[in-house]
């Protein structure tokens, strides 16, 4: 069937996304870069039967590294007294 998977946004509707005034955490920024690449920018990644391209794999590794660094930073931070 040639039915679209999701309806197209109505004419004049702003695309959803993060407003420019919002600052994401480094982990969120890395994840956003990966998602935007794989869902919107890369034809190879969007193919159902294809494998992710090398830039997508690199973006994913970057996200994991940034997320793990954040987790290690939180893990090493001592709790305030009484916590």
């Amino acid at each position: 069937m040639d039915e679209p998977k999701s309806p197209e946004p109505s004419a004049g509707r702003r695309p959803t996304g993060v407003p420019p005034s919002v600052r994401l955490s480094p982990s969120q920024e890395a994840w956003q870069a990966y998602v935007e690449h794989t869902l919107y920018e890369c034809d190879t990644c969007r193919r159902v039967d294809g494998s992710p391209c090398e830039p997508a794999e690199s973006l994913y590794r970057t996200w994991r590294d940034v997320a793990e660094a954040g987790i290690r930073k939180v893990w090493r931070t001592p709790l305030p007294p009484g916590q």
Side-chain angles (χ1 to χ4, degrees):
M1 288 195 216
D2 292 336
E3 295 178 12
K5 300 290 183 221
S6 60
E8 292 293 321
S10 57
R13 183 174 170 212
R14 280 184 16 187
T16 58
V18 179
S21 61
V22 173
R23 177 77 173 134
L24 299 175
S25 71
S27 179
Q28 290 170 320
E29 287 180 352
W31 182 252
Q32 181 182 20
Y34 169 73
V35 169
E36 285 179 355
H37 174 84
T38 57
L39 294 181
Y40 305 114
E41 298 170 0
C42 181
D43 292 333
T44 302
C45 293
R46 287 192 309 218
R47 282 192 217 129
V48 175
D49 59 345
S51 298
C53 65
E54 181 56 39
E57 290 177 356
S58 175
L59 287 167
Y60 184 79
R61 282 190 303 270
T62 300
W63 167 72
R64 287 203 41 162
D65 293 343
V66 169
E68 288 174 2
I71 290 169
R72 282 192 300 274
K73 183 177 178 181
V74 169
W75 182 68
R76 290 183 186 142
T77 304
L79 292 173
Q83 296 281 319

